[in-house]
Amino acid sequence: MNYYSTNGNAKKVSFQEAVFKGLPEDNGLYMPETIPTLPSSFFSNLDQLSLSEIGFKVMQIFVGNEIPDKKLHQIIDETLRLEIPLKKVQDDVFTLELFHGPTFAFKDVGARFLARCLSYFSRQSNKKLTVLVATSGDTGSAVAQGFYGVPNIDVVILYPSGKISRFQEQQMTTLGKNITALEVDGVFDDCQRLVKSAFLDDELNEELNLTSANSINIARMLPQSIYYFYGFAQLPAEKRKNLVLSVPSGNYGNLTAGLIAQKMGLPIKHFLACSNSNDTVPKYLKTGEYEAKPSISTISNAMDVGDPSNFARMLDLYSGSHQKMKENISGDSYSDEETRSAIKKVYESTGYILDPHGAVGWLGLKKYLKSTSATGLFLETAHPYKFKDTVEPEIGKKLTPVLEFKDQEKRSVPLENNFQVFKQFLMDA
Ligand SMILES: *Cc1c(COP(=O)(O)O)cnc(C)c1O
């Protein structure tokens, strides 16, 4: 499979090259040249297939023969060694729990797949790689856990000092080995700027093979399509006909992966793009105007993105047509207050405990189901325990811990918010 840039001014590349480069040189995003429909035999057998079998069938299309089947099977098996259960929350309201991986958020799937692909390709080509990643919390911990101990790859994570949770910080600063965490004196946007400048710096790129582990990388985004098929397969047969999918979104990688699954033939009738107060995409869906904004802090902080990068891919899937996009996707944004009361209400009426991100997805779904009869499925993207300070007061009880604070030394490197200092650090490392 070849990959083109959404900006159309870069040459087409192989899967391997797209994974290595992360970003095309024209600053667009890579997209697969074709998105083939899977055969009807695949769909009629779907509920006989394991998660890993579904994963292989889906990813084989995008990887082609660039990774031998046997190796790809192994990569997929390791990536998907976690549970992704479907739960019924209310009548016609189901949730797919994507938070049973090592960092308790859905990003584990993409991060693990990317780490293993990079490791395979770097061994084949005997290249040592440096992975750079800017994080507001969840990406960094998933990438750190996904790449830990992977040979030939060094990972440098930049996170804003004092702006992430204790769990997140612990998950990226205590590993050591090939994982370095830089604690930047600034906010997330500063971290992202430092990383972007590094990719554009000729001298650095001559010295190091730099690549990105953010969701702009095709190997992080595409494997997320797998669980849409798996979620569908777990629905009762009579509930599969009229399916609406609600995706709590920030950078819109997860939603884009769902749109790709739909293009591959998965019968999803409609998508709901649900955001917190960072409403750039819902606004676009309503008005046709895209206006990037600085991000606003909310209680669903993994979705605090004002200028989502995967929007370029969404637009590309509809050849730039606002009209076509809004026929398939509707969007709405929800305040922290609405999110908190959703957590309370769902717990009191059903016993199900939402996290603040899943709560945004639930809100969008309930609103839609008021006027349209359908089966609703929302994605639960994080374990509620990760956000216990928000969740516990709403449900009025303590959550059972799933994460423990280990008595391990934090090993972060303080970094001034200055590109020359960052560059020197990378050159010396
Ligand atoms: C990253 C993240 C999101 C947003 O996902 P996108 O693919 O960036 O839209 C939602 N919820 C949680 C818990 C996350 O970590």
Side-chain angles (χ1 to χ4, degrees), residues 117-415:
C117 286
L118 277 176
S119 166
Y120 173 76
F121 289 137
S122 74
R123 242 177 292 173
Q124 292 298 305
S125 56
N126 231 336
K127 267 194 200 169
K128 200 168 159 57
L129 288 178
T130 303
V131 172
L132 297 184
V133 61
T135 183
S136 55
D138 276 349
T139 298
S141 41
V143 167
Q145 301 288 329
F147 282 81
Y148 181 58
V150 172
N152 268 348
I153 301 184
D154 285 325
V155 177
V156 178
I157 301 168
L158 287 82
Y159 72 95
S161 181
K163 301 277 191 318
I164 67 172
S165 78
R166 279 171 68 207
F167 287 129
Q168 291 168 331
E169 188 167 37
Q170 168 164 299
Q171 284 178 319
M172 55 188 146
T173 59
T174 58
L175 292 168
K177 270 199 190 172
N178 60 331
I179 312 291
T180 305
L182 299 180
E183 187 171 352
V184 177
D185 182 18
V187 295
F188 169 67
D189 293 327
D190 298 318
C191 300
Q192 191 142 39
R193 198 161 32 239
L194 290 170
V195 167
K196 281 208 168 150
S197 310
F199 285 122
L200 298 174
D201 188 279
D202 292 337
E203 205 185 345
L204 262 181
N205 282 282
E206 250 161 57
E207 190 81 8
L208 301 166
N209 295 308
L210 296 178
T211 190
S212 156
N214 283 98
S215 67
I216 50 177
N217 197 307
I218 202 88
R220 251 198 72 193
M221 192 273 289
L222 288 173
Q224 298 174 163
S225 300
I226 298 167
Y227 44 67
Y228 286 86
F229 292 93
Y230 188 60
F232 179 84
Q234 291 178 74
L235 280 169
E238 73 280 7
K239 295 288 180 196
R240 292 181 192 168
K241 281 217 175 66
N242 207 358
L243 180 62
V244 175
L245 242 128
S246 178
V247 187
S249 295
N251 235 336
Y252 289 82
N254 214 5
L255 178 67
T256 302
L259 298 175
I260 288 175
Q262 185 190 38
K263 266 214 142 165
M264 294 173 92
L266 189 67
I268 297 170
K269 256 191 93 184
H270 199 70
F271 279 91
L272 305 174
C274 304
S275 79
N276 55 30
S277 305
N278 296 279
D279 61 354
T280 308
V281 171
K283 267 228 164 107
Y284 168 81
L285 287 162
K286 288 191 176 121
T287 64
E289 309 266 329
Y290 184 90
E291 196 192 333
K293 294 184 218 168
S295 57
I296 304 165
S297 293
T298 74
I299 55 170
S300 48
N301 60 24
M303 313 199 303
D304 294 349
V305 184
D307 186 10
S309 42
N310 284 292
F311 180 72
R313 287 188 169 126
M314 292 169 66
L315 207 52
D316 192 72
L317 284 168
Y318 300 98
S319 318
S321 161
H322 169 249
Q323 183 58 34
K324 278 194 213 145
M325 194 193 291
K326 76 172 191 189
E327 280 164 19
N328 193 35
I329 315 171
S330 329
D332 254 311
S333 78
Y334 297 92
S335 67
D336 281 356
E337 206 185 328
E338 289 169 298
T339 307
R340 282 202 176 88
S341 69
I343 295 170
K344 185 176 164 76
K345 189 168 161 191
V346 171
Y347 178 67
E348 285 174 355
S349 60
T350 72
Y352 191 81
I353 302 173
L354 296 167
D355 99 292
H357 304 79
V360 169
W362 179 85
L363 280 163
L365 189 54
K366 286 305 264 194
K367 180 169 174 193
Y368 185 82
L369 293 178
K370 260 189 201 158
S371 59
T372 314
S373 118
T375 298
L377 175 54
F378 68 97
L379 302 183
E380 241 308 358
T381 50
H383 194 293
Y385 192 76
K386 261 195 127 164
F387 298 89
K388 69 185 177 73
D389 294 345
T390 301
V391 174
E392 286 176 346
E394 299 310 321
I395 64 171
K397 66 165 194 180
K398 291 266 173 227
L399 291 166
T400 314
V402 292
L403 288 155
E404 276 174 54
F405 278 108
K406 297 188 202 103
D407 214 6
Q408 276 171 328
E409 198 191 340
K410 165 175 148 181
R411 280 179 286 186
S412 66
V413 181
L415 186 81

Side-chain angles (χ1 to χ4, degrees), residues 70-87:
K70 191 162 166 255
K71 182 71 198 174
L72 184 61
H73 264 299
Q74 187 196 334
I75 291 175
I76 294 280
D77 279 347
E78 289 172 11
T79 299
L80 298 173
R81 209 165 282 159
L82 77 183
E83 281 173 28
I84 305 185
L86 181 96
K87 304 257 168 87

Side-chain angles (χ1 to χ4, degrees), residues 58-126:
V58 172
M59 292 315 294
Q60 218 271 333
I61 288 178
F62 296 115
V63 173
N65 56 10
E66 293 181 54
I67 299 176
D69 283 359
K70 191 162 166 255
K71 182 71 198 174
L72 184 61
H73 264 299
Q74 187 196 334
I75 291 175
I76 294 280
D77 279 347
E78 289 172 11
T79 299
L80 298 173
R81 209 165 282 159
L82 77 183
E83 281 173 28
I84 305 185
L86 181 96
K87 304 257 168 87
K88 184 174 173 186
V89 177
Q90 289 156 309
D91 282 344
D92 289 328
V93 175
F94 295 83
T95 187
L96 190 62
E97 293 185 347
L98 304 176
F99 55 71
H100 296 279
T103 71
F104 300 94
F106 78 90
K107 292 186 175 71
D108 286 325
V109 170
R112 290 210 273 196
F113 185 76
L114 171 62
R116 282 157 182 81
C117 286
L118 277 176
S119 166
Y120 173 76
F121 289 137
S122 74
R123 242 177 292 173
Q124 292 298 305
S125 56
N126 231 336

